[in-house]
Amino acid sequence: MLKILVINQHTANFGDDAAGVAMAIQLHQQFPDAELHFVYNWPWGKDQFLPIPYKQDKTFHHNEIIIQKTDLLDAIRYVSTKFLPILIKNRPQTTISAYVNLVKESDFVIVSTGGSNIGIYQDWICLFRVLVAVLEKKRPIFHLNSLGKSGNLVFDIITKFVLKRSQVFVREKKSHEMLNKWGIYNVRGVDTALSLSATVKDLSKDEQKAINLDIDEESIVFIPTRIGSWHPLYNKMNLEQTINQEIIPSLITFSQKHNLKIYILPHLYSVLSENKLLQNIQDTFLKLGLKEDQVKIIENISNFRDYEKCISHGRLVISMRYHGVILSIKQGIPFISLAYENKMKEACNYSEMLDFNFDLTDDNLNKKQMLKSYELAYQNREAISKHLKNKLPILSDLSRLPLTYLYLKSLEVNKK
């Protein structure tokens, strides 16, 4: 029986949940008898642990293996023993040792699809988990990630070390080109969430029953966000000002012209919830002239399927989040991408929707530009929807590239 370990899985984010579940479904469709183990990128502690919404008898979500900053000394001790094993003969039983043992027991280690943690986010714990897999003689499979330079010399040296010893699949041209410059072989695909069932009607009866949202189809779905101090672009853009002075006024003008309601859709939940931000945005809409029945925060979102259904009911999606764009593509819904990172532009590029992408770091971004783009998307929504639905089959295939590789490698394991 195969034992597959997935590391660096994110959650408390409907987009990351969608991609993680899509990957899990792919794996169990290809290897129905395999054990699937998830280790999470979850810094908030075991008492707040939150797995992705994927339940299956042979799937295990390891809340006992949550590596935090307090594990730093043990991590250094572990790495030291790999180069100077004489230093410490017996390792204590710790979170690090539990993780190492799980890596050793696994036939394959997959680095879950995700943002630029190994790159501009400079996430040392994410990088450490991959380093352990490499030091334990595994060949990690990067499952369509965003990768890049971090700006930290030591971090980038370790990154090159692990990537050269991994099978790398990326979801961006920028990542692909950067790795080529580093001399690291990689394969370019698209986001994993594009392999999910195409429409809500394809879900099981239980899943369909769980989705019961009161959404007016004559609506704009707005997916806002903030950028925390952890993000390298935090000091390079005044996102709050852009939202209040350009995005919200443009949406008010457009919604009133076409008699459309505005639904504000949460993207994060649990410990990452942006409730205060969403409430402030709704208040700004009201202060600038909308009535209470014209703008609403969607509050009863329980999982990524609810999130996706909200997107599917919009006449137009205005998304400041990457997976808001991805799931609009998948559902064939016209969208405007308000991008704070390259990955959103990349998704617009491979879906041939680049004319509908705006760079939030652009000082020249203004209400007039956005209104023109909203109008173009809205007036051509049937053609855009047809275009996106025609694109989906090839994009879905590209989102499954790591499974082709994994299948061939599994044949080698079965022969042993």
Side-chain angles (χ1 to χ4, degrees):
M1 178 187 294
L2 284 179
K3 188 170 185 176
I4 301 172
L5 173 60
V6 178
I7 63 174
N8 292 347
Q9 178 63 52
H10 291 262
T11 182
N13 175 315
F14 293 124
D16 287 333
D17 284 0
V21 171
M23 177 183 59
I25 291 171
Q26 286 183 20
L27 289 168
H28 270 139
Q29 286 176 340
Q30 186 65 64
F31 309 109
D33 296 325
E35 283 189 2
L36 188 55
H37 295 257
F38 280 87
V39 170
Y40 285 79
N41 196 51
W42 184 260
W44 296 282
K46 299 175 183 178
D47 58 327
Q48 296 177 296
F49 178 69
L50 191 70
I52 61 172
Y54 182 77
K55 296 180 180 179
Q56 197 262 3
D57 290 342
K58 296 175 183 177
T59 300
F60 305 89
H61 302 277
H62 289 274
N63 68 326
E64 82 283 5
I65 304 179
I66 297 176
I67 300 174
Q68 298 176 287
K69 291 179 181 179
T70 53
D71 296 304
L72 175 61
L73 185 60
D74 192 39
I76 293 172
R77 184 186 297 116
Y78 163 77
V79 174
S80 299
T81 62
K82 302 306 290 186
F83 294 96
L84 294 170
I86 196 172
L87 288 179
I88 303 172
K89 293 183 179 179
N90 298 311
R91 271 200 334 269
Q93 293 301 308
T94 64
T95 299
I96 300 297
S97 64
Y99 173 64
V100 171
N101 290 337
L102 186 57
V103 170
K104 287 180 176 179
E105 294 166 1
S106 300
D107 295 296
F108 297 109
V109 176
I110 295 176
V111 184
S112 183
T113 183
S116 303
N117 294 76
I118 300 179
I120 58 174
Y121 300 170
Q122 200 179 133
D123 189 330
W124 285 95
I125 293 178
C126 275
L127 183 58
F128 172 74
R129 291 192 193 94
V130 184
L131 177 62
V132 170
V134 169
L135 293 178
E136 294 301 330
K137 309 301 182 184
K138 304 296 181 180
R139 187 172 178 82
I141 302 166
F142 279 79
H143 200 287
L144 296 166
N145 303 78
S146 294
L147 299 166
K149 294 180 180 179
S150 71
N152 181 297
L153 179 61
V154 176
F155 191 96
D156 289 345
I157 288 173
I158 299 173
T159 295
K160 290 180 183 180
F161 175 81
V162 301
L163 290 178
K164 286 181 178 179
R165 293 159 179 81
S166 303
Q167 182 66 35
V168 183
F169 295 86
V170 296
R171 62 186 184 183
E172 296 179 52
K173 180 182 178 182
K174 186 176 180 179
S175 297
H176 177 67
E177 291 176 344
M178 188 279 299
L179 293 178
N180 284 345
K181 289 180 180 178
W182 278 0
I184 296 170
Y185 176 76
N186 68 99
V187 177
R188 180 183 167 201
V190 300
D191 192 85
T192 312
L194 289 163
S195 71
L196 285 167
S197 300
T199 61
V200 173
K201 69 180 181 181
D202 294 328
L203 303 180
S204 69
K205 291 183 179 179
D206 287 341
E207 287 176 312
Q208 289 186 49
K209 287 179 182 178
I211 301 174
N212 184 22
L213 302 171
D214 181 19
I215 302 174
D216 190 323
E217 293 193 5
E218 294 294 322
S219 65
I220 299 167
V221 176
F222 178 39
I223 309 173
T225 195
R226 61 171 177 256
I227 296 179
S229 57
W230 53 270
H231 198 283
L233 296 178
Y234 178 70
N235 294 319
K236 296 182 180 180
M237 67 173 80
N238 189 335
L239 198 54
E240 183 178 357
Q241 178 178 305
T242 301
I243 291 172
N244 291 336
Q245 296 183 9
E246 305 294 344
I247 297 172
I248 290 178
S250 68
L251 286 173
I252 290 174
T253 300
F254 182 75
S255 66
Q256 290 180 328
K257 177 181 178 181
H258 295 284
N259 194 28
L260 299 169
K261 292 182 180 180
I262 296 175
Y263 287 90
I264 302 170
L265 180 60
H267 185 82
L268 305 176
Y269 63 95
S270 184
V271 295
L272 295 180
S273 173
E274 296 178 312
N275 288 342
K276 185 177 180 180
L277 169 73
L278 303 184
Q279 188 60 60
N280 288 340
I281 287 173
Q282 184 183 40
D283 290 344
T284 302
F285 273 111
L286 296 174
K287 288 176 184 177
L288 293 179
L290 283 192
K291 297 178 181 179
E292 289 188 0
D293 64 346
Q294 294 177 310
V295 57
K296 177 183 177 182
I297 299 171
I298 303 176
E299 296 179 338
N300 54 335
I301 302 293
S302 61
N303 56 54
F304 74 88
R305 289 294 190 186
D306 289 347
Y307 177 89
E308 185 177 16
K309 184 175 182 182
C310 290
I311 287 174
S312 73
H313 277 263
R315 287 299 179 96
L316 181 65
V317 173
I318 313 296
S319 182
M320 298 175 67
R321 297 294 312 210
Y322 168 69
H323 275 104
V325 169
I326 292 296
L327 295 177
S328 295
I329 294 169
K330 194 177 80 65
Q331 286 291 335
I333 302 298
F335 64 87
I336 305 297
S337 166
L338 301 176
Y340 63 88
E341 272 188 33
N342 176 73
K343 60 187 178 183
M344 296 174 74
K345 180 180 179 181
E346 181 76 14
C348 292
N349 187 40
Y350 60 64
S351 62
E352 296 185 15
M353 290 283 288
L354 204 53
D355 289 343
F356 299 97
N357 180 74
F358 288 94
D359 184 351
L360 288 173
T361 64
D362 186 352
D363 293 334
N364 297 317
L365 181 66
N366 58 61
K367 175 183 174 182
K368 183 178 180 180
Q369 285 180 302
M370 284 186 280
L371 277 171
K372 183 178 179 181
S373 189
Y374 301 164
E375 195 67 38
L376 182 63
Y378 185 72
Q379 295 299 337
N380 293 281
R381 57 189 182 278
E382 291 185 8
I384 291 173
S385 180
K386 182 178 180 181
H387 164 76
L388 292 174
K389 289 176 181 178
N390 287 338
K391 283 285 177 188
L392 187 59
I394 184 62
L395 295 178
S396 180
D397 287 345
L398 290 171
S399 74
R400 300 170 187 268
L401 288 175
L403 263 292
T404 303
Y405 170 81
L406 191 57
Y407 171 72
L408 292 174
K409 296 301 292 185
S410 72
L411 298 178
E412 298 176 11
V413 172
N414 291 334
K415 288 180 180 180
K416 292 181 180 179

